[in-house]
Amino acid sequence: MSADLRAGGTSWVDEFVLALAARGVTDRWILQQRAWVEQLLAFAACPVWEVQPADVDGWLVAARERGTGPQTRGQMVQAVYRFYAFVETRYGAWVREAVGRPVVCPVDEFNRPRRLARVGVRIPPSAQEVELLFTAWRFHLPSLQGAGFLAAARDYVAASLWRRLGLRINETVRLRAGDWYPHAGTYGILHVRCGKGARGSGPRERLVPAIDGTDRLLAWWLTEVRPQFGDEPAGGQAVLLPSRQHTLEGRYRPACASTLRDGLASAVAQWLPAWTGRLTPHPLRHFCASHLYACGVGLEAVGALLGHRWLSTTAQYVHVPAERIERCWQQANDRLTGRLLGGPAP
């Protein structure tokens, strides 16, 4: 029997990682895939081909008890499924010949999370509630002074980008002043350099039109507020949303995701308390998609704005109010009645 088999196939994890690297995915994603596979093998404490569905069940339950969310657990299962597909493809015949049994993926139909169940449903607040929150937030800014005003204005701008353009929080913190092109297109263009890539494929750039008042928001921020931080944009390389911390070169560091998230949470607790603990950056992204769709923007355009490759993904972000469904149903019935009666419905 080969050394690989006696060791339980541990070197296969290295080869699996090498295969992922050959695909051109990011190192961070590869390291996470490896960590999850190694965690399962350590939990099961047996060779790769002896891991059972019950081992996966126990591993996922332990992760859940540690506070791991359903979406992350789904990604863990996907990593295991991907690893076993690799082993079965490259070494399945070898294992059958050496140990007399096939390699079977321990992820079965019962412990494999469904895609929609992993993501969950994030129903955003209504347009009236969002408008109430941001109006109160905006009118509160002039009452602040100094560093308090700068931090509150920065958090307001970040949340407005989530609300109006559906940016992801990690895309927002990486924006630079030079990513804003006010004279491009009708409303100006925001260059999102660090868009989320699928399955660790790396940053996926996109150009986002500054619709829904974003052009006026960025003009106000960059001409009246951002200069008060006191640093020099240096050819557009200065961060768009700075913190109060400096780099070794003396430039401001970008505000971290947790800081911007806390800024939104504080505003929600003050002006929209019914949504305290529930309205986070991602539901605002859902709100953006739903609001634009309700205004008549097509699903394809909404997906392009949000950085989606597939319309099926965008469809999960669009939440159609029940009253709109009822209205469309009534309009459809009125049209049918009109055709049957040879004229408009009474």
PDB file of all heavy atoms in Angstrom, residues 288-302 318 324 327:
ATOM      1  N   CYS A 288     -31.723  48.628  -2.081  1.00  0.00           N
ATOM      2  CA  CYS A 288     -31.371  49.286  -3.342  1.00  0.00           C
ATOM      3  C   CYS A 288     -31.937  48.517  -4.530  1.00  0.00           C
ATOM      4  O   CYS A 288     -32.555  49.096  -5.426  1.00  0.00           O
ATOM      5  CB  CYS A 288     -29.853  49.405  -3.448  1.00  0.00           C
ATOM      6  SG  CYS A 288     -29.266  50.070  -5.026  1.00  0.00           S
ATOM      7  N   ALA A 289     -31.721  47.194  -4.535  1.00  0.00           N
ATOM      8  CA  ALA A 289     -32.209  46.380  -5.647  1.00  0.00           C
ATOM      9  C   ALA A 289     -33.730  46.435  -5.743  1.00  0.00           C
ATOM     10  O   ALA A 289     -34.297  46.613  -6.829  1.00  0.00           O
ATOM     11  CB  ALA A 289     -31.740  44.936  -5.474  1.00  0.00           C
ATOM     12  N   SER A 290     -34.416  46.302  -4.608  1.00  0.00           N
ATOM     13  CA  SER A 290     -35.877  46.294  -4.606  1.00  0.00           C
ATOM     14  C   SER A 290     -36.440  47.656  -5.007  1.00  0.00           C
ATOM     15  O   SER A 290     -37.411  47.742  -5.765  1.00  0.00           O
ATOM     16  CB  SER A 290     -36.399  45.907  -3.213  1.00  0.00           C
ATOM     17  OG  SER A 290     -35.915  44.639  -2.827  1.00  0.00           O
ATOM     18  N   HIS A 291     -35.809  48.718  -4.513  1.00  0.00           N
ATOM     19  CA  HIS A 291     -36.289  50.068  -4.819  1.00  0.00           C
ATOM     20  C   HIS A 291     -36.141  50.381  -6.302  1.00  0.00           C
ATOM     21  O   HIS A 291     -37.066  50.911  -6.937  1.00  0.00           O
ATOM     22  CB  HIS A 291     -35.508  51.073  -3.972  1.00  0.00           C
ATOM     23  CG  HIS A 291     -35.832  52.502  -4.276  1.00  0.00           C
ATOM     24  ND1 HIS A 291     -37.068  53.060  -4.004  1.00  0.00           N
ATOM     25  CD2 HIS A 291     -35.081  53.492  -4.838  1.00  0.00           C
ATOM     26  CE1 HIS A 291     -37.070  54.325  -4.386  1.00  0.00           C
ATOM     27  NE2 HIS A 291     -35.879  54.612  -4.897  1.00  0.00           N
ATOM     28  N   LEU A 292     -34.987  50.064  -6.870  1.00  0.00           N
ATOM     29  CA  LEU A 292     -34.777  50.347  -8.291  1.00  0.00           C
ATOM     30  C   LEU A 292     -35.729  49.525  -9.161  1.00  0.00           C
ATOM     31  O   LEU A 292     -36.263  50.024 -10.155  1.00  0.00           O
ATOM     32  CB  LEU A 292     -33.326  50.066  -8.670  1.00  0.00           C
ATOM     33  CG  LEU A 292     -32.274  51.000  -8.059  1.00  0.00           C
ATOM     34  CD1 LEU A 292     -30.878  50.573  -8.472  1.00  0.00           C
ATOM     35  CD2 LEU A 292     -32.528  52.446  -8.467  1.00  0.00           C
ATOM     36  N   TYR A 293     -35.943  48.272  -8.778  1.00  0.00           N
ATOM     37  CA  TYR A 293     -36.851  47.423  -9.547  1.00  0.00           C
ATOM     38  C   TYR A 293     -38.272  47.975  -9.486  1.00  0.00           C
ATOM     39  O   TYR A 293     -38.997  47.987 -10.488  1.00  0.00           O
ATOM     40  CB  TYR A 293     -36.801  46.000  -9.013  1.00  0.00           C
ATOM     41  CG  TYR A 293     -37.622  45.013  -9.813  1.00  0.00           C
ATOM     42  CD1 TYR A 293     -37.184  44.541 -11.041  1.00  0.00           C
ATOM     43  CD2 TYR A 293     -38.855  44.560  -9.342  1.00  0.00           C
ATOM     44  CE1 TYR A 293     -37.936  43.640 -11.787  1.00  0.00           C
ATOM     45  CE2 TYR A 293     -39.615  43.660 -10.068  1.00  0.00           C
ATOM     46  CZ  TYR A 293     -39.157  43.212 -11.282  1.00  0.00           C
ATOM     47  OH  TYR A 293     -39.903  42.322 -12.021  1.00  0.00           O
ATOM     48  N   ALA A 294     -38.679  48.454  -8.291  1.00  0.00           N
ATOM     49  CA  ALA A 294     -40.016  49.025  -8.145  1.00  0.00           C
ATOM     50  C   ALA A 294     -40.162  50.299  -8.955  1.00  0.00           C
ATOM     51  O   ALA A 294     -41.270  50.651  -9.383  1.00  0.00           O
ATOM     52  CB  ALA A 294     -40.302  49.308  -6.667  1.00  0.00           C
ATOM     53  N   CYS A 295     -39.046  50.997  -9.208  1.00  0.00           N
ATOM     54  CA  CYS A 295     -39.078  52.224 -10.018  1.00  0.00           C
ATOM     55  C   CYS A 295     -39.058  51.944 -11.517  1.00  0.00           C
ATOM     56  O   CYS A 295     -39.055  52.881 -12.323  1.00  0.00           O
ATOM     57  CB  CYS A 295     -37.900  53.122  -9.641  1.00  0.00           C
ATOM     58  SG  CYS A 295     -38.020  53.836  -7.985  1.00  0.00           S
ATOM     59  N   GLY A 296     -38.999  50.665 -11.884  1.00  0.00           N
ATOM     60  CA  GLY A 296     -39.046  50.301 -13.290  1.00  0.00           C
ATOM     61  C   GLY A 296     -37.715  49.927 -13.905  1.00  0.00           C
ATOM     62  O   GLY A 296     -37.642  49.686 -15.117  1.00  0.00           O
ATOM     63  N   VAL A 297     -36.643  49.882 -13.119  1.00  0.00           N
ATOM     64  CA  VAL A 297     -35.340  49.472 -13.649  1.00  0.00           C
ATOM     65  C   VAL A 297     -35.354  47.961 -13.872  1.00  0.00           C
ATOM     66  O   VAL A 297     -35.765  47.204 -12.990  1.00  0.00           O
ATOM     67  CB  VAL A 297     -34.207  49.864 -12.677  1.00  0.00           C
ATOM     68  CG1 VAL A 297     -32.853  49.434 -13.226  1.00  0.00           C
ATOM     69  CG2 VAL A 297     -34.234  51.368 -12.424  1.00  0.00           C
ATOM     70  N   GLY A 298     -34.920  47.524 -15.037  1.00  0.00           N
ATOM     71  CA  GLY A 298     -34.943  46.108 -15.362  1.00  0.00           C
ATOM     72  C   GLY A 298     -34.006  45.293 -14.499  1.00  0.00           C
ATOM     73  O   GLY A 298     -33.016  45.798 -13.952  1.00  0.00           O
ATOM     74  N   LEU A 299     -34.299  43.999 -14.411  1.00  0.00           N
ATOM     75  CA  LEU A 299     -33.518  43.116 -13.554  1.00  0.00           C
ATOM     76  C   LEU A 299     -32.062  43.041 -14.011  1.00  0.00           C
ATOM     77  O   LEU A 299     -31.150  42.991 -13.190  1.00  0.00           O
ATOM     78  CB  LEU A 299     -34.144  41.712 -13.557  1.00  0.00           C
ATOM     79  CG  LEU A 299     -33.802  40.799 -12.380  1.00  0.00           C
ATOM     80  CD1 LEU A 299     -34.276  41.398 -11.068  1.00  0.00           C
ATOM     81  CD2 LEU A 299     -34.426  39.416 -12.586  1.00  0.00           C
ATOM     82  N   GLU A 300     -31.819  43.063 -15.303  1.00  0.00           N
ATOM     83  CA  GLU A 300     -30.454  42.990 -15.823  1.00  0.00           C
ATOM     84  C   GLU A 300     -29.649  44.219 -15.412  1.00  0.00           C
ATOM     85  O   GLU A 300     -28.474  44.107 -15.031  1.00  0.00           O
ATOM     86  CB  GLU A 300     -30.479  42.850 -17.350  1.00  0.00           C
ATOM     87  CG  GLU A 300     -29.096  42.696 -17.961  1.00  0.00           C
ATOM     88  CD  GLU A 300     -29.159  42.505 -19.471  1.00  0.00           C
ATOM     89  OE1 GLU A 300     -30.280  42.529 -20.024  1.00  0.00           O
ATOM     90  OE2 GLU A 300     -28.092  42.332 -20.089  1.00  0.00           O
ATOM     91  N   ALA A 301     -30.279  45.396 -15.488  1.00  0.00           N
ATOM     92  CA  ALA A 301     -29.591  46.623 -15.093  1.00  0.00           C
ATOM     93  C   ALA A 301     -29.318  46.645 -13.599  1.00  0.00           C
ATOM     94  O   ALA A 301     -28.250  47.093 -13.157  1.00  0.00           O
ATOM     95  CB  ALA A 301     -30.422  47.839 -15.501  1.00  0.00           C
ATOM     96  N   VAL A 302     -30.256  46.161 -12.815  1.00  0.00           N
ATOM     97  CA  VAL A 302     -30.041  46.088 -11.367  1.00  0.00           C
ATOM     98  C   VAL A 302     -28.869  45.165 -11.055  1.00  0.00           C
ATOM     99  O   VAL A 302     -28.012  45.476 -10.222  1.00  0.00           O
ATOM    100  CB  VAL A 302     -31.322  45.601 -10.647  1.00  0.00           C
ATOM    101  CG1 VAL A 302     -31.053  45.370  -9.159  1.00  0.00           C
ATOM    102  CG2 VAL A 302     -32.442  46.613 -10.820  1.00  0.00           C
ATOM    103  N   VAL A 318     -34.348  41.130  -5.003  1.00  0.00           N
ATOM    104  CA  VAL A 318     -35.527  41.934  -5.301  1.00  0.00           C
ATOM    105  C   VAL A 318     -36.714  41.390  -4.517  1.00  0.00           C
ATOM    106  O   VAL A 318     -37.109  40.232  -4.692  1.00  0.00           O
ATOM    107  CB  VAL A 318     -35.826  41.930  -6.815  1.00  0.00           C
ATOM    108  CG1 VAL A 318     -37.146  42.633  -7.095  1.00  0.00           C
ATOM    109  CG2 VAL A 318     -34.696  42.599  -7.571  1.00  0.00           C
ATOM    110  N   ARG A 324     -48.051  45.223  -4.542  1.00  0.00           N
ATOM    111  CA  ARG A 324     -47.761  45.299  -5.975  1.00  0.00           C
ATOM    112  C   ARG A 324     -48.232  44.032  -6.675  1.00  0.00           C
ATOM    113  O   ARG A 324     -48.742  44.090  -7.799  1.00  0.00           O
ATOM    114  CB  ARG A 324     -46.264  45.495  -6.198  1.00  0.00           C
ATOM    115  CG  ARG A 324     -45.920  45.590  -7.679  1.00  0.00           C
ATOM    116  CD  ARG A 324     -44.475  45.900  -7.936  1.00  0.00           C
ATOM    117  NE  ARG A 324     -44.194  45.952  -9.363  1.00  0.00           N
ATOM    118  CZ  ARG A 324     -43.013  46.195  -9.881  1.00  0.00           C
ATOM    119  NH1 ARG A 324     -41.976  46.417  -9.096  1.00  0.00           N
ATOM    120  NH2 ARG A 324     -42.840  46.217 -11.182  1.00  0.00           N
ATOM    121  N   ARG A 327     -51.872  44.395  -7.074  1.00  0.00           N
ATOM    122  CA  ARG A 327     -52.209  45.362  -8.115  1.00  0.00           C
ATOM    123  C   ARG A 327     -52.007  44.768  -9.508  1.00  0.00           C
ATOM    124  O   ARG A 327     -52.839  44.942 -10.404  1.00  0.00           O
ATOM    125  CB  ARG A 327     -51.351  46.620  -7.937  1.00  0.00           C
ATOM    126  CG  ARG A 327     -51.692  47.732  -8.921  1.00  0.00           C
ATOM    127  CD  ARG A 327     -51.002  49.038  -8.551  1.00  0.00           C
ATOM    128  NE  ARG A 327     -49.555  48.924  -8.601  1.00  0.00           N
ATOM    129  CZ  ARG A 327     -48.760  48.880  -7.529  1.00  0.00           C
ATOM    130  NH1 ARG A 327     -49.299  48.906  -6.316  1.00  0.00           N
ATOM    131  NH2 ARG A 327     -47.461  48.788  -7.663  1.00  0.00           N
TER     132      ARG A 327
END
